[in-house]
Amino acid sequence: MSGEFNNKTIKWVDDRLPIFTMLKHSAVDYPTPKNLSYWWNFGSLAGFVLVIMILSGIFLAMNYTANTSMAFESVERIMRDVNYGWLLRYLHANGGSMFFIVVYIHMFRGMYYGSYKGPRELLWWLGLLIMVAMMATAFMGYVLPWGQMSFWGATVITNLFSAIPLVGDYIVTWLWGGFSVDNPTLNRFFALHYLLPFVLFALVFLHLVALHAVKSNNPLGIDPKGPQDTIPFHPYFTIKDLYGMGVFMMVYLAFVFWAPDFFGEPDNYIPANPMVTPAHIVPEWYFLPFYAILRAVPDKLGGVIMMFGSIIVLFFLPWLDTSKVKSGRFRPLYKQFFWLFVIDCLVLGYIGAKPAEGAYVLIGQIATAYYFFHFLVLLPLIGKIEKTKPLPHSISAPVLKGGGIPAGATAKPMEKA
Amino acid sequence: MAEAATHAAGQGETRRDFLLYATTAVGTVGTALALWPFVHSMNPAADVLALSSTEVDLAPIAEGQSVTVTWRGKPVFIRHRTKEEIEKARSVQDSALPDPQKDEDRVKKPEWLVMIGVCTHLGCVPLGQKASDPKGEFEGWFCPCHGSHYDTSGRIRKGPAPTNLPVPEYAFLTDTTIKIG
Ligand code: HEM
Ligand code: FES
């Protein structure tokens, strides 16, 4: 069908299984807005981290034992005796944190530039499903080393489901496979921790299918008007993404080699003890904002509903934001509230790490209220009252000082220039 | 094509629809039932259920002391209560309790309080078993995770926990031995 390949073997395969055509279509020719900034690096970066996680994870699994009497020791053995075991484990543990940093930046990028708006609603949804699957994966992974934080994190989080009226307790017993977090729990968490990243991989694939159907958004938030507004993905963005990966690796490996326990909790180097809860239990940093929301409500069921609500509300973002203009660049009012929202998330994260007492409780409640206020009141309202700045004619226009070539003009596409 | 023909014939369409709905229904119910073994395999297994009773000798526990034993992988608090603690637990008005329950209904013998030491909020083990532990505002137990206070009967008095510390099934085998579960 394609006939575009010179190499005979490639052509032979492609005529029977068009993988090379697909690759060329989506990673070489894919027409990309030519004004993408570095904020657009974080998508490919996230995919790259996923590959690192799967690789390091599979090799860890070759030496890990999912049994309560051996799990902690098997991880210590990985650290001390297995060749480069320390490297595998630190790559994996810090990779988890990096994954969330990258994905959170990727999401805030989407919020600033209105990337969730039509026609990209499903793209946004798939992204959110990826986030939820990542959270489940990371949560279960953290249980595997079977330290004190592993055990008590698992206990507190699974107990969230006991808040469900009537069937809550049955669900929790079912999740545990017993009457407390114990060996059956560790076993199934390992099985699921192995499985979910591959589900994630499939979700990422769908995310990309959706992306290539609706095409990338860009910092101006307007559609390309023709070929003069786009450049082929390869070599322009392959090289830019690679450069971003280089910078990312420097940050990531700096943690792995010089501060490998920076994101960790010392208590997790104490073997799990079901009889003693550590004085101060905190989840991993990437869950802190949600944990703060959970604790802001003095009622068990209420707290759980608010916590899940804080994620569910993100699914409604395409409809809560009533503005017709996508990019925050042309939305003077939204822009300010966007940054307020970022600060609010950071405050929630800070509060989540603090004990629930005194002023922390009040600040946590205000920050939680503001989180929902932003989505449910501010976003619909701002879109209605805001006076947006005029949008440029085309992606090329601002660069060429207004001389952008409108769609359908006679000029040759500029991409080969 | 065929539809036009059955239309003309009248009855055919509904009969075919019926077959379609019936097959779909049987298929759906069958698939749902086939899922059950998979779901149920995740519930507690026979050996986990079999491990579910523990005997405890109370004789060595002096008045004002507590011990923690393990039952079904969970801590069980056993406290030999003092006169004042019992009195304190019994003098509270029901209406002052978030989860009203009489102290009399929570014990078999007033001096022995036996309950599951798992906070009914999100499952931490409350403090208060050791003499040096903080015991909260009601001098019973205190859960440090999110700040739940329990009284000398193990009833929730303040904080996010919704219910009292549960009392497991237990029986006195002799005057000084109990069997939990
Ligand atoms: C989405 C990708 C993944 C994420 C976010 C993730 C996250 C985590 C986290 C946070 C830990 C705890 C690290 C620690 O504190 O020691 C962990 C442990 C572990 N993970 Fe993963 N993981 C992922 C993929 C995988 C895969 C694909 C495997 C392979 C089968 C795997 C196997 C393991 C094993 C064996 C451990 C226990 C050893 C240890 O604690 O270092 N992971 N994972
Ligand atoms: S688990 Fe005890 S207060 Fe939350």
Side-chain angles (χ1 to χ4, degrees), chain B residues 37-175:
Chain B
F38 294 90
V39 172
H40 196 42
S41 76
M42 287 175 70
N43 270 320
D47 62 332
V48 176
L49 291 171
L51 286 175
S52 48
S53 78
T54 305
E55 278 181 32
V56 189
D57 179 12
L58 302 179
I61 309 170
E63 192 175 305
Q65 258 190 0
S66 307
V67 296
T68 308
V69 298
T70 315
W71 174 63
R72 288 178 161 182
K74 288 181 186 186
V76 171
F77 291 172
I78 302 175
R79 180 158 180 84
H80 192 166
R81 297 193 294 183
T82 60
K83 289 259 147 27
E84 301 83 74
E85 285 171 346
I86 300 169
E87 223 157 85
K88 207 159 184 251
R90 301 205 161 173
S91 63
V92 199
Q93 292 286 306
D94 261 13
S95 55
L97 301 170
D99 177 17
Q101 204 178 12
K102 285 203 186 328
D103 183 62
E104 287 85 340
D105 298 338
R106 292 179 52 80
V107 290
K108 299 222 153 111
K109 296 186 179 180
E111 64 273 31
W112 293 108
L113 177 65
V114 179
M115 58 192 182
I116 298 175
V118 173
C119 182
T120 57
H121 182 226
L122 296 174
C124 292
V125 178
L127 298 171
Q129 286 293 87
K130 287 200 218 105
S132 57
D133 279 351
K135 293 183 190 312
E137 287 174 24
F138 299 87
E139 284 158 54
W141 286 263
F142 172 67
C143 181
C145 286
H146 318 94
S148 288
H149 300 253
Y150 296 92
D151 68 11
T152 55
S153 185
R155 291 171 300 198
I156 181 67
R157 300 295 289 274
K158 189 181 163 189
T163 55
N164 305 334
L165 291 177
V167 175
E169 242 179 74
Y170 70 96
F172 276 88
L173 298 179
T174 69
D175 257 4

Side-chain angles (χ1 to χ4, degrees), chain A residues 119-153:
Chain A
R120 298 191 179 83
E121 300 95 332
L122 285 185
L123 183 60
W124 176 251
W125 278 21
L126 283 162
L128 290 175
L129 290 181
I130 290 174
M131 184 190 76
V132 172
M134 260 175 75
M135 288 178 158
T137 309
F139 161 65
M140 291 193 263
Y142 194 59
V143 177
L144 303 184
W146 208 244
Q148 273 288 66
M149 282 297 166
S150 300
F151 182 89
W152 290 102

Side-chain angles (χ1 to χ4, degrees), chain A residues 49-65 71 74-75 78-79 85 88-90 92-97 99-100 133-146 150 190-191 193-198 200 261 264-265 268-269 284 286:
Chain A
V49 182
L50 177 60
V51 173
I52 295 180
M53 293 309 286
I54 292 184
L55 262 181
S56 55
I58 288 177
F59 285 90
L60 279 173
M62 294 180 191
N63 281 292
Y64 171 78
T65 311
S74 76
V75 172
I78 289 173
M79 295 297 287
L88 292 175
R89 172 153 188 259
Y90 280 151
H92 199 74
N94 287 283
S97 282
F99 207 176
F100 280 93
M134 260 175 75
M135 288 178 158
T137 309
F139 161 65
M140 291 193 263
Y142 194 59
V143 177
L144 303 184
W146 208 244
S150 300
F190 182 48
H193 185 69
Y194 210 133
L195 168 71
L196 276 183
F198 296 91
L200 226 72
D261 286 313
E265 278 291 323
N268 222 27
Y269 284 103
E284 291 274 84
Y286 34 81

